[in-house]
Amino acid sequence: MRIPALPAMGLALLLCAMNAGASDGPSLAKAQHVPHPAVIAHRGASFDAPESTRAAYLLARELGADYLELDLQRTRDNVLVVVHDDVLARTSDVAERFPERAKSPVSDFTLAELKSLDAGSWFNKAYPDRARESFGKLQILTLDEVIDIAEGNPERHPGLYIETKVPKQFPGIEKQLKEKLQARGWLDKPGRVILQTFDRNSLALLHQQMPQVPKILLLWIGKDSIEPKSGKDFADSAEQDKAAFYARQEPKDREEFLRWLDAAKAGGAIGTGPSAVRSNLGEQSYADLIKPWMNKASHERGLLVHVYTLDERVDFDRAMKAGVDGIFTNRAGELLRFYGRAQVPAEAQLLKALGY
Ligand code: G3P
Ligand code: CA
């Protein structure tokens, strides 16, 4: 491009403006073909339907989420499946079906065994106000099945936001994931897949396998991540309330936080996924890693910020004002409405239309 002759000061200002543009969230997102701000449906629309099930992902798709978030694990017979916890006890009837293996890892089960579990009734018991009889028939899903859901409506095109969960338990899962995404034609679609992990080794392997696919290094305070100022780990503290404990935690110092941003960048990530404190605390509330200076430091390094996991308007508002570029949420509908995205139908109406 030919730049017309400018006085020295004007040229300096122009160059400064061009540089600033390259490190703001919307420009960084655009360069990666990632929507801004991004609506990431955490384990699907998991506030209104059992997490990581067909109902949750169909609902997230129909609401208009940008991404279906999922946690990837592998069965004993080598099938990629979508389960958050290391064990199945919280989200299935494994204790009744396989009592001797109730505390065994997901990798101890064949796909047929996982498919025989009820992955929805736990939700009806935990959240009677959101319960539906049809949830009792939900199953654990394979990655292929979530891809089918993402591709299943020509008018809705959510991307996939895939986390390698406990990757040390699954050697070679990064390569296996690449082969699956390639076979399904998802590696030719810029910004349609984002890969995420807490594990720096897995980040390196993902980058090695899929250098062109955007990656996010997830951040929190604790073991194998950011060192806390308190020097304490929740597991070693005498605390009862996990969320209250984490709400008090902060990085050891500024340099420790910046060191993790630099590690993300060096590992090939295009952004970070920091934790946040929720205003009502609860199970998914962690340390606050979205302070404005933190988000600014990320942007200065060319890194996007996708915060996990917020569900309330007051928290969406605080996070956006602090400068994040997208939010993991269990309530994709609420976040879409908060952003003023067009015509978001009611969750109950959609679930009914979907047959639940
Ligand atoms: O993947 C972002 C967020 O999901 C990380 O937390 O434990 O819900 O997977 P978790
Ligand atoms: Ca996750």
Side-chain angles (χ1 to χ4, degrees):
M1 174 177 84
R2 188 175 169 274
I3 297 176
L6 282 172
M9 180 62 87
L11 182 60
L13 283 172
L14 176 65
L15 291 173
C16 188
M18 286 167 77
N19 190 38
S23 68
D24 69 282
S27 305
L28 293 169
K30 194 170 173 202
Q32 297 294 337
H33 305 273
V34 171
H36 192 285
V39 176
I40 305 154
H42 184 245
R43 311 180 202 168
S46 57
F47 179 87
D48 289 286
E51 67 183 59
S52 312
T53 63
R54 180 174 300 282
Y57 287 119
L58 283 173
L59 179 58
R61 182 190 75 190
E62 295 306 307
L63 285 165
D66 295 317
Y67 292 99
L68 307 182
E69 195 266 350
L70 62 97
D71 303 286
L72 194 68
Q73 300 198 50
R74 190 166 63 200
T75 64
R76 195 169 80 208
D77 46 347
N78 266 324
V79 182
L80 295 175
V81 287
V82 176
V83 182
H84 176 268
D85 295 3
D86 308 9
V87 298
L88 297 152
R90 181 179 63 87
T91 56
S92 81
D93 59 347
V94 69
E96 288 100 73
R97 296 289 329 287
F98 303 101
E100 70 292 352
R101 285 190 285 159
K103 292 182 182 164
S104 298
V106 171
S107 56
D108 263 24
F109 295 81
T110 64
L111 180 62
E113 287 171 338
L114 291 184
K115 282 287 184 188
S116 75
L117 297 175
D118 167 352
S121 292
W122 71 272
F123 180 93
N124 288 347
K125 285 182 204 126
Y127 309 107
D129 54 322
R130 286 169 248 158
R132 285 166 194 265
E133 207 182 320
S134 54
F135 288 165
K137 296 193 172 58
L138 291 169
Q139 293 180 321
I140 287 170
L141 297 177
T142 63
L143 174 60
D144 264 320
E145 288 170 324
V146 180
I147 295 175
D148 290 342
I149 292 169
E151 293 176 345
N153 179 349
E155 286 166 26
R156 299 284 195 191
H157 300 278
L160 298 169
Y161 208 120
I162 306 174
E163 178 179 353
T164 49
K165 203 56 142 183
V166 282
K168 284 189 183 74
Q169 268 182 36
F170 303 107
I173 198 166
E174 295 84 3
K175 181 165 184 281
Q176 192 176 355
L177 174 60
K178 181 210 116 160
E179 286 164 0
K180 175 59 70 186
L181 292 172
Q182 204 160 41
R184 296 291 309 249
W186 275 71
L187 292 186
D188 311 323
K189 304 175 180 180
R192 304 274 289 118
V193 179
I194 300 182
L195 306 170
Q196 43 156 349
T197 183
F198 283 99
D199 185 308
R200 283 168 63 181
N201 186 52
S202 189
L203 175 66
L205 293 170
L206 289 169
H207 196 52
Q208 193 180 50
Q209 291 295 330
M210 294 171 270
Q212 77 285 17
V213 177
K215 282 159 240 69
I216 293 284
L217 182 63
L218 299 168
L219 301 177
W220 70 301
I221 292 191
K223 194 171 172 297
D224 297 327
S225 194
I226 297 172
E227 202 180 320
K229 187 179 262 179
S230 68
K232 284 194 193 134
D233 205 47
F234 176 64
D236 306 327
S237 72
E239 291 259 350
Q240 299 297 309
D241 186 336
K242 183 168 68 88
F245 171 84
Y246 278 115
R248 292 197 309 277
Q249 302 306 307
E250 55 182 322
K252 189 176 93 178
D253 51 33
R254 201 180 177 91
E255 286 62 43
E256 170 65 2
F257 183 77
L258 299 179
R259 200 170 68 76
W260 277 86
L261 297 189
D262 292 336
K265 186 86 182 168
I270 58 105
T272 62
S275 63
V277 178
R278 294 158 67 114
S279 49
N280 292 323
L281 300 183
E283 186 55 35
Q284 294 177 15
S285 186
Y286 291 98
D288 196 45
L289 297 176
I290 54 164
K291 296 195 164 45
W293 73 265
M294 297 171 166
N295 300 327
K296 185 165 173 282
S298 298
H299 289 158
E300 282 166 0
R301 286 160 174 76
L303 294 168
L304 286 169
V305 181
H306 288 167
V307 59
Y308 68 92
T309 303
L310 303 175
D311 288 348
E312 309 281 340
R313 277 178 170 253
V314 60
D315 294 331
F316 300 155
D317 191 47
R318 186 179 76 85
M320 292 312 298
K321 284 180 176 149
V324 309
D325 304 301
I327 299 179
F328 292 79
T329 180
N330 304 306
R331 305 189 76 173
E334 277 302 285
L335 183 55
L336 288 158
R337 289 178 201 110
F338 171 79
Y339 287 147
R341 298 259 289 259
Q343 295 297 318
V344 183
E347 284 81 350
Q349 188 189 319
L350 278 178
L351 279 168
K352 193 160 176 235
L354 289 164
Y356 293 102

